[in-house]
Amino acid sequence: EVQLVESGGGLVQTGGSLRLSCAASGFTFDDYVIGWFRQAPGKEREGVSCISGGDDRTYYANSVQGRFTISSDNAKDTVYLQMNSLKPEDTAVYYCAVDFPGPQRGRERSFCTDDGPGGTWGQGTQVTVSS
């Protein structure tokens, strides 16, 4: 069974940093696409950043480009989201999700930007940035 468990959320002041972790199990950690998504109250879900397993190609939403970094540790079956220079508008529940679309070009972008991406989702972790 594919499972994802997020951790690392919390309360931080504007300008601070957090690192989210997404621990994966139930699949071979070499051919996948994993993404971080967020949803704030009253707002649509946003694909924040996605990474393609095997080639480590990445995608970032414009809203986080230059501030967030996604990475994977295959030895630990974990994907991280390092979030720096946090802003109050980054406040949301952050979810990680995984899918296995096969060797599609640009799958990291597609997973983050497609409406209603499928796959398996974690339970979410709250990130709150105070002003």
Side-chain angles (χ1 to χ4, degrees):
E1 180 185 7
V2 175
Q3 288 189 328
L4 302 173
V5 179
E6 302 99 332
S7 61
L11 174 64
V12 65
Q13 291 185 334
T14 296
S17 298
L18 284 173
R19 188 177 78 159
L20 304 184
S21 299
C22 175
S25 62
F27 62 96
T28 302
F29 208 72
D30 60 359
D31 186 14
Y32 58 84
V33 58
I34 283 183
W36 286 97
F37 300 78
R38 67 185 180 186
Q39 189 159 24
K43 295 187 177 181
E44 292 187 357
R45 183 177 61 196
E46 177 185 21
V48 174
S49 181
C50 292
I51 186 167
S52 172
D55 55 18
D56 289 340
R57 295 180 65 88
T58 58
Y59 166 86
Y60 295 95
N62 288 339
S63 57
V64 305
Q65 182 75 45
R67 300 188 297 122
F68 291 10
T69 303
I70 192 169
S71 62
S72 65
D73 185 337
N74 289 354
K76 296 183 179 180
D77 291 353
T78 300
V79 171
Y80 302 98
L81 185 68
Q82 177 67 44
M83 306 186 295
N84 299 329
S85 303
L86 283 162
K87 306 174 182 180
E89 51 264 44
D90 295 317
T91 296
V93 178
Y94 284 70
Y95 301 88
C96 67
V98 65
D99 204 0
F100 309 95
Q104 297 177 9
R105 184 177 181 84
R107 61 185 183 179
E108 68 283 355
R109 172 182 290 273
S110 296
F111 192 52
C112 259
T113 59
D114 284 353
D115 290 335
T120 299
W121 291 70
Q123 82 286 353
T125 185
Q126 175 71 46
V127 171
T128 303
V129 184
S130 63
S131 58

